[in-house]
Amino acid sequence: MATAQLFSGGLTKIDAEGQWTGIYKQAISGPVHLAVDGLAGDMQADRRVHGGPEKALHYYAAENYRQLAERFPGVAEKFVPGSIGENVSANGFDEWNVSIGDMFRLGGSLLQVSQPRSPCWKIDYRYGSDGVARTIAETGLTGWYYRVLEPGMLSTGDVLELVDRLPGAVSLAELWQVWREHRPHPAQVEELSGAPGLTADWQRKLIERARWLRRHGGERAQR
């Protein structure tokens, strides 16, 4: 169990070309309603890659910030909970001890881990430092998204509690490591596509990559 902090925000224009972002969040105390498509009042600039039922709530581990601060000492003071655009942050749960499909209670809601967050260039912009997004991808400090199984009211200080893990669950760290490998074995990639609770989009991406690896000698390369 862990005590959660909550964050929400609107949209911010970040350049003259009309790019917007929802990465700038503010701490909220609550109570706030969590629906199947996210927190009331929270906004995402690009709904193709953020938000929606499979990305309703974004979590980032508070302890990940300490690792990023060590790697980027010049902007260390910027690595604080809420700064990467998450809705929920806490200590005690991270990519190594949380699995796809894990179910959590938070306040009056029931959540399920659906997929990792893929870092984008706006993270570098947020911190004013090149290479942060790349480091997140390389280290697997990605954070993750929840789908909402039961909507409810949330407040900062609510307990985040793991209540169920599906048989055959795959950790976020394992999924990300295989996904990032240059030439993973196609059978391993295909097996991960069946991880319980994984989104249909990630299933499709993994199956397509396994097929590509087989067509290009992935199995022979592993012998």
Side-chain angles (χ1 to χ4, degrees):
M1 293 190 294
T3 301
Q5 295 176 268
L6 302 183
F7 305 90
S8 179
L11 300 182
T12 302
K13 191 175 182 180
I14 58 175
D15 62 29
E17 284 71 43
Q19 293 277 358
W20 293 78
T21 182
I23 200 170
Y24 293 92
K25 306 292 187 191
Q26 294 79 45
I28 55 174
S29 58
V32 60
H33 186 254
L34 174 65
V36 294
D37 59 350
L39 280 176
D42 191 50
M43 299 182 71
Q44 301 85 35
D46 189 346
R47 297 284 291 185
R48 297 171 302 168
V49 294
H50 298 292
E54 296 291 4
K55 301 177 182 179
L57 203 66
H58 176 209
Y59 178 95
Y60 202 70
E63 48 264 65
N64 286 0
Y65 284 114
R66 291 190 285 272
Q67 297 187 54
L68 292 173
E70 290 172 1
R71 289 172 177 266
F72 295 90
V75 291
E77 73 284 355
K78 295 184 178 182
F79 292 106
V80 295
S83 63
I84 210 166
E86 77 270 31
N87 302 115
V88 183
S89 187
N91 285 292
F93 295 113
D94 60 29
E95 294 79 2
W96 282 260
N97 62 23
V98 171
S99 296
I100 299 293
D102 281 357
M103 298 181 195
F104 285 80
R105 280 284 177 193
L106 178 62
S109 68
L110 179 64
L111 314 173
Q112 185 176 39
V113 177
S114 61
Q115 64 186 83
R117 178 198 182 174
S118 298
C120 71
W121 66 271
K122 290 180 181 178
I123 293 175
D124 285 6
Y125 183 93
R126 170 67 178 87
Y127 294 110
S129 182
D130 292 338
V132 180
R134 183 178 66 250
T135 296
I136 288 170
E138 291 173 350
T139 57
L141 303 175
T142 60
W144 59 85
Y145 289 106
Y146 289 109
R147 61 173 67 93
V148 179
L149 301 181
E150 295 177 7
M153 301 301 293
L154 307 181
S155 297
T156 284
D158 284 345
V159 172
L160 179 68
E161 180 181 9
L162 176 64
V163 295
D164 195 18
R165 174 163 291 168
L166 301 176
V170 174
S171 73
L172 286 147
E174 180 183 355
L175 174 66
W176 191 257
Q177 180 180 4
V178 173
W179 177 249
R180 288 279 300 173
E181 281 183 24
H182 177 60
R183 285 274 184 166
H185 196 289
Q188 187 180 21
V189 177
E190 198 167 58
E191 183 178 358
L192 285 176
S193 72
L198 189 63
T199 65
D201 183 56
W202 265 87
Q203 291 173 353
R204 175 189 56 77
K205 291 193 299 185
L206 289 163
I207 290 170
E208 289 177 354
R209 188 171 187 208
R211 290 172 178 167
W212 186 94
L213 288 165
R214 286 199 170 94
R215 287 198 304 271
H216 293 82
E219 290 174 304
R220 290 194 300 274
Q222 299 294 324
R223 293 173 183 166

